Amino acid sequence: MSDKSAEFLSPDNAVLAMIDHQTGLLASVRDILPETLRKNINGLTNMAKTAGIPSVVTASMPEGPNGPVSSDITNVLGNEVINRAGEINAWNSPEFKAAIEATGRKKIIMAGIVTDVCLLFPALSAVAEGYDVYAVIDASGTWDEVTRDAAMLRMNQAGVKVTTWASVLAEVMNDWRSEQGYPLGGVLGGHTAYGLVYESYLSQQPKPQAAE
């Protein structure tokens, strides 16, 4: 394992890639509940925005049945989307690859619909070129659990780090005392059951004194 691969994620060394989270493709996902997937996607994108991590969003032939990128993503990350003309593997798109390279970052936090194509293929390609890829499996989705599991095994065999969005958030945060600590805790609390823990903690904090 290289030194770069052994480094933990941070706001300064990572880029987020959201691949083909399009309305038509999302409708075909069956390995995760739609409301859970949507919550996870929102958590992941809000994590990146809160931590100041740059993002690259791409879509495959959005004018066709795949449809446009979900507004859950563009509402958080902005409307800049790299629309691919036909490349199935986003890594084969010169515009997508150039956008990743322009960040100067070698760690890619990656999610895609569907898991076994839109996430799997660019994850394998990026790893082959020396990038450290974190495949966020719970912000991705596919036809069924067997298909998802097969994709996870193949990515793991190739050196892709298969992970979840909450684990990525905690790795990026690193320390509650960091500048992003409490804002990121709020993101986690807003999209998981950790919200009850976070609310309980905040209730115990000293209340600000009213000005006299």
Side-chain angles (χ1 to χ4, degrees):
M1 181 179 291
S2 67
D3 290 340
K4 284 292 183 184
S5 181
E7 288 178 357
F8 282 93
L9 289 168
S10 78
D12 301 318
N13 67 11
V15 54
L16 172 67
M18 299 296 288
I19 303 171
D20 301 351
H21 289 80
Q22 297 165 248
T23 53
L25 294 173
L26 283 161
S28 66
V29 170
R30 294 292 184 272
D31 67 315
I32 184 172
L33 291 173
E35 59 269 26
T36 302
L37 176 59
R38 186 176 185 183
K39 185 181 294 186
N40 294 342
I41 290 170
N42 283 325
L44 180 62
T45 54
N46 277 285
M47 178 282 300
K49 183 177 180 180
T50 300
I53 294 173
S55 60
V56 178
V57 180
T58 186
S60 174
M61 303 179 70
E63 70 282 356
N66 288 350
V69 170
S70 169
S71 60
D72 284 341
I73 292 173
T74 55
N75 286 343
V76 175
L77 300 180
N79 292 318
E80 186 174 346
V81 176
I82 297 171
N83 293 319
R84 307 194 309 284
E87 301 95 343
I88 294 175
N89 182 348
W91 201 256
N92 291 334
S93 163
E95 295 81 9
F96 174 80
K97 188 174 177 181
I100 295 291
E101 291 173 340
T103 69
R105 299 172 181 220
K106 299 295 287 185
K107 289 183 176 290
I108 309 175
I109 303 165
M110 190 180 289
I113 305 292
V114 292
T115 308
D116 51 309
V117 177
C118 307
L119 172 61
L120 174 65
F121 293 173
L124 297 180
S125 295
V127 165
E129 294 191 21
Y131 285 84
D132 191 18
V133 177
Y134 290 67
V136 186
I137 205 69
D138 60 349
S140 306
T142 190
W143 328 114
D144 53 51
E145 295 179 1
V146 171
T147 306
R148 177 199 62 204
D149 292 349
M152 289 171 61
L153 285 170
R154 189 173 174 191
M155 286 189 286
N156 185 261
Q157 290 164 352
V160 177
K161 294 183 172 75
V162 179
T163 188
T164 63
W165 81 265
S167 179
V168 167
L169 180 147
E171 190 169 334
V172 168
M173 182 199 294
N174 183 52
D175 192 320
W176 277 103
R177 296 164 296 183
S178 69
E179 183 179 346
Q180 292 92 3
Y182 290 108
L184 286 174
V187 173
L188 184 63
H191 297 88
T192 69
Y194 187 79
L196 297 174
V197 180
Y198 192 64
E199 182 179 340
S200 177
Y201 171 77
L202 291 178
S203 71
Q204 303 302 315
Q205 300 310 298
K207 301 296 187 294
Q209 297 295 321
E212 295 182 359

